[in-house]
Amino acid sequence: MSGTAIPSSAQETLPEGAIPAATLVIMRPAPDSGPDEILMVKRSTNMAFAAGAVVFPGGRVDPDDYVVAQQQAPDVDPADGAARVAALRETLEETGLAVGWPALGERDLDDVRRALLSGTLLSDILAARGDRIALDSFVPFARWCPNFKEARTFDTRFYAVAAPPHSHELTVEAAEHSHIFWASASRTLAMADAGEVSVIFPTRRNLERLAHAPDFDRFSAHSCQFPVELVTPWIEERDGRSFLCIPDHLGYPVTSEPFDRVRRG
């Protein structure tokens, strides 16, 4: 991580005290012609946030991500561009999948991943290789900032992308994750309902949304119909019971859940 400060223009868009982050929903056709499969990772049980939960790849936006965004996509909003870079970088670090990086072949992928994990800046790697990254291949569809007092507050931008072709086995970065798998949104929800995996509130709501547009093309078209607005869930009392709620105009088929059933972080 660079010591470079986050640009003030990007800081102004952040909710107070929130950590900027990004996550990537990577979709590929299922072998049985069913709904697209989505790449999921299970967080290690020793993590401070969402320990043991199944999530989409992603993580914090680093200062160097703003540098890369300015170099590679200077016309994009700085916070949006940096989040796209973070989604690309974190996915490569966490899973070994190079998304949005067409010039990075499988022969060089392991070396680049090791360099990133050892602290080499992505901007330096791109400059040395002379590569361009395809940030415009990421489809923005959500931005969440749950403010749960018992968990860290992240301002997370969500993007969807079609999985690139690859023949190598994907592996998790063991310091943060314990397992990696492909499954449709509906299958992951069924696993959660059966107690086989754990999902936090934002992941569940987004899986439900993905299940209603079950391939990348249809989900991209669906996403374009709704604005990307900051989602900060709130609690409502209904008939003596507390519900955690989100807005009903952003494309989510389920917009509330009993608070006592919610996993928040």
Side-chain angles (χ1 to χ4, degrees):
M1 181 183 294
S2 165
T4 306
I6 294 174
S8 58
S9 60
Q11 289 178 326
E12 291 170 0
T13 68
L14 292 177
E16 184 177 358
I19 300 166
T23 195
L24 196 55
V25 173
I26 306 165
M27 307 177 73
R28 72 175 188 185
D32 61 357
S33 300
D36 273 11
E37 295 178 329
I38 297 168
L39 186 62
M40 308 295 297
V41 292
K42 182 178 180 181
R43 290 176 62 80
S44 297
T45 55
N46 60 356
M47 297 299 292
F49 177 77
V54 167
V55 297
F56 310 114
R60 297 184 185 212
V61 178
D62 284 351
D64 187 62
D65 297 329
Y66 292 91
V67 176
V68 174
Q70 175 60 33
Q71 294 171 342
Q72 298 266 338
D75 296 332
V76 175
D77 170 76
D80 180 23
R84 292 170 188 254
V85 174
L88 177 156
R89 176 184 52 76
E90 289 279 352
T91 296
L92 178 53
E93 291 176 0
E94 292 178 355
T95 71
L97 186 62
V99 182
W101 195 338
L104 182 56
E106 296 198 17
R107 186 172 67 176
D108 299 332
L109 192 148
D110 283 345
D111 288 342
V112 170
R113 185 186 188 188
R114 281 195 294 269
L116 287 170
L117 289 171
S118 68
T120 304
L121 296 178
L122 177 59
S123 59
D124 290 341
I125 295 172
L126 290 169
R129 291 175 53 88
D131 287 352
R132 302 292 300 178
I133 52 177
L135 299 181
D136 58 352
S137 64
F138 297 174
V139 177
F141 70 91
R143 183 180 174 191
W144 281 65
C145 189
N147 188 19
F148 304 131
K149 297 189 185 311
E150 66 270 37
R152 294 176 180 174
T153 300
F154 290 93
D155 174 17
T156 304
R157 297 173 188 257
F158 288 72
Y159 302 90
V161 69
H166 65 280
S167 58
H168 65 286
E169 181 181 359
L170 303 184
T171 58
V172 292
E173 198 283 298
E176 295 187 9
H177 302 95
S178 63
H179 186 51
I180 186 171
F181 64 94
W182 292 91
S184 69
S186 56
R187 172 59 184 147
T188 302
L189 287 168
M191 293 167 65
D193 291 341
E196 299 170 12
V197 299
S198 175
V199 295
I200 58 177
F201 183 80
T203 304
R204 177 176 283 275
R205 299 289 82 86
N206 281 292
L207 285 169
E208 291 161 349
R209 187 174 175 185
L210 286 154
H212 278 253
D215 62 51
F216 177 70
D217 288 340
R218 280 184 283 181
F219 186 70
S220 297
H222 158 85
S223 299
C224 292
Q225 299 174 28
F226 299 94
V228 177
E229 297 178 1
L230 192 67
V231 176
T232 300
W234 67 90
I235 298 174
E236 285 186 8
E237 297 297 325
R238 300 176 181 174
D239 298 324
R241 193 175 186 186
S242 297
F243 284 78
L244 194 61
C245 307
I246 61 173
D248 60 6
H249 66 285
L250 300 179
Y252 289 93
V254 179
T255 58
S256 65
E257 183 176 353
F259 191 78
D260 56 8
R261 287 173 33 191
V262 169
R263 173 161 185 193
R264 299 179 290 281

